[in-house]
Amino acid sequence: MSPRSTRQSDEHSTAGAYVHPGEEFTRDTTYIEDGIVRDPEHARLSEGARAWPVEAGRYRLVAARACPWANRTLIVRRLLGLEDALPVGLPGPVHDARSWTFDLDPDGRDPVLGIERLQEAYLARYPDYPRGITVPAVVEVASGKVVTNDFAQLTEDLAKEWTAFHREGAPDLWPAGLEDEMRQVMRRVYTEVNNGVYRCGFAGSQQAYEKAYERLWAALDWLEERLATRRYLMGEHITEADVRLFTTLVRFDPVYHSHFKCSRNKLTEMPHLWGYARDLFQTPGFGDTVDFQQVKEHYYIVHEDINPSQIVPVGPDLRNWVSAHGREALGGSPFGEGTAPGPVRPEERVDRRHTPLAV
Ligand SMILES: N[C@@H](CCC(=O)N[C@@H](CS)C(=O)NCC(=O)O)C(=O)O
């Protein structure tokens, strides 16, 4: 059995080389699409995908703080209070041609899975796994095998399938009445913004870059306007759509503006987006998952073809992330009828030298 392809690309198999000369950037959207669901017998998954049962402690989420797609899972897990049910392993910020390593753990091994590289969990399931070893991934602890790396489905499943383990007061990140519009908004955010910054950064020609740049800024202008009158993307309360936009915005000035040449404006020059990003950053569950130093190290060191010196910038100054944002004036409340998550567990706290928050 091997992961199914929606499109063929070897983009992930050439760590260190992300730009293909003359070409537009195309993302490999092939995932191990298994789902972790409440009722595996009646699960409606895509063809060939396996349904695994939701079970506390059976799986381990592997999520590098540096990665925006993995950052989504860290935020949602914390907002929903799934820390006990789904423990986390945190690889360091960089990876080599073979994969992410657990170099932040004392002996260089994930303390529960006992592996040095995430690659071991992929190969345990698919000995000839042909693609990039990506985070986020969920690994079954007993077998050591990767279950899924389908990051978009994963956060949706955490919200909809893992409800038995949600904390009391967990927010509704997928309000039923908003779901259709949410999916449209998230689709545009994904193609134009989350992936749009990569399309700029990994463009293989001047023409491809300029096209990507126009697309990105058209979308950011749309969001700037949308957020002028709405506190959150879908209105009064946070939803999964905000999680998805936030992880790109928080990386914008430290990385995408310079490293990916997304330089028409800084985030700090887009008043509504900047206020919105700070509002979320200061909301428990969002900013307290962000390690700016790991984020910068990941991009500037791993993408050697666009930053051959691998020098990591010292700036920008991050203290403005904790400044007053004034978004309360738009009304709304982050958690709706729910409540904020409690303090971050000591073992999951971001290094205080890597964040402007008092963690
Ligand atoms: N694979 C997913 C998203 C996950 C992803 O790309 N994660 C990156 C880090 S931000 C990764 O693990 N890259 C390692 C590799 O490609 O070998 C996609 O491309 O849509």
Side-chain angles (χ1 to χ4, degrees), residues 220-294:
L220 288 173
D221 286 339
W222 158 65
L223 289 165
E224 174 73 3
E225 199 181 311
R226 184 174 177 100
L227 290 165
T229 50
R230 292 172 177 84
R231 179 144 176 210
Y232 301 106
L233 268 183
M234 301 311 302
E236 306 223 304
H237 314 297
I238 55 166
T239 65
E240 167 90 15
D242 298 298
V243 176
R244 295 183 179 197
L245 178 56
F246 172 76
T247 58
T248 293
L249 295 182
V250 83
R251 286 163 178 72
F252 202 85
D253 287 2
V255 177
Y256 303 142
H257 181 272
S258 50
H259 183 64
F260 280 174
K261 306 184 185 76
C262 301
S263 48
R264 193 193 78 183
N265 296 103
K266 291 184 181 142
L267 178 66
T268 53
E269 295 163 351
M270 308 282 282
H272 303 304
L273 276 166
W274 172 228
Y276 165 81
R278 274 177 297 160
D279 190 1
L280 290 178
F281 185 80
Q282 295 166 29
T283 299
F286 285 82
D288 52 35
T289 67
V290 177
D291 183 316
F292 284 101
Q293 186 59 26
Q294 289 194 21

Side-chain angles (χ1 to χ4, degrees), residues 75-323:
I75 294 170
V76 169
R77 171 178 171 271
R78 189 158 141 59
L79 290 173
L80 300 178
L82 290 169
E83 291 95 330
D84 283 332
L86 182 61
V88 72
L90 299 166
V94 295
H95 58 81
D96 58 21
R98 280 173 58 204
S99 109
W100 296 90
T101 57
F102 293 96
D103 53 320
L104 299 176
D105 289 298
D107 58 354
R109 286 183 186 275
D110 178 80
V112 172
L113 299 172
I115 55 177
E116 287 180 323
R117 291 170 180 276
L118 178 58
Q119 185 190 42
E120 294 167 54
Y122 276 73
L123 297 185
R125 175 129 186 230
Y126 302 114
D128 56 352
Y129 189 73
R131 325 196 76 83
I133 307 296
T134 57
V135 288
V138 175
V139 178
E140 188 188 31
V141 175
S143 66
K145 294 180 179 178
V146 70
V147 169
T148 179
N149 66 350
D150 187 350
F151 65 90
Q153 193 57 46
L154 181 55
T155 48
E156 185 170 347
D157 286 349
L158 293 182
K160 294 180 178 176
E161 302 289 339
W162 288 69
T163 46
F165 300 105
H166 286 183
R167 68 178 171 88
E168 210 182 311
D172 181 3
L173 297 176
W174 289 78
L178 294 176
E179 193 165 323
D180 288 348
E181 189 192 346
M182 231 175 100
R183 286 197 189 278
Q184 286 171 30
V185 169
M186 291 193 302
R187 181 80 212 147
R188 191 164 173 193
V189 165
Y190 170 68
T191 61
E192 307 305 297
V193 180
N194 300 145
N195 197 36
V197 291
Y198 285 84
R199 199 181 293 111
C200 290
F202 295 148
S205 70
Q206 182 68 33
Q207 194 187 17
Y209 162 69
E210 287 179 18
K211 219 168 113 191
Y213 178 97
E214 292 306 323
R215 265 181 84 169
L216 170 69
W217 287 102
L220 288 173
D221 286 339
W222 158 65
L223 289 165
E224 174 73 3
E225 199 181 311
R226 184 174 177 100
L227 290 165
T229 50
R230 292 172 177 84
R231 179 144 176 210
Y232 301 106
L233 268 183
M234 301 311 302
E236 306 223 304
H237 314 297
I238 55 166
T239 65
E240 167 90 15
D242 298 298
V243 176
R244 295 183 179 197
L245 178 56
F246 172 76
T247 58
T248 293
L249 295 182
V250 83
R251 286 163 178 72
F252 202 85
D253 287 2
V255 177
Y256 303 142
H257 181 272
S258 50
H259 183 64
F260 280 174
K261 306 184 185 76
C262 301
S263 48
R264 193 193 78 183
N265 296 103
K266 291 184 181 142
L267 178 66
T268 53
E269 295 163 351
M270 308 282 282
H272 303 304
L273 276 166
W274 172 228
Y276 165 81
R278 274 177 297 160
D279 190 1
L280 290 178
F281 185 80
Q282 295 166 29
T283 299
F286 285 82
D288 52 35
T289 67
V290 177
D291 183 316
F292 284 101
Q293 186 59 26
Q294 289 194 21
V295 166
K296 288 193 292 185
E297 285 178 14
H298 172 70
Y299 286 90
Y300 287 98
I301 293 175
V302 171
H303 304 154
E304 208 181 329
D305 55 346
I306 56 172
N307 186 38
S309 73
Q310 294 180 300
I311 289 170
V312 181
V314 176
D317 189 334
L318 300 168
R319 284 171 296 186
N320 50 7
W321 277 98
V322 287
S323 62

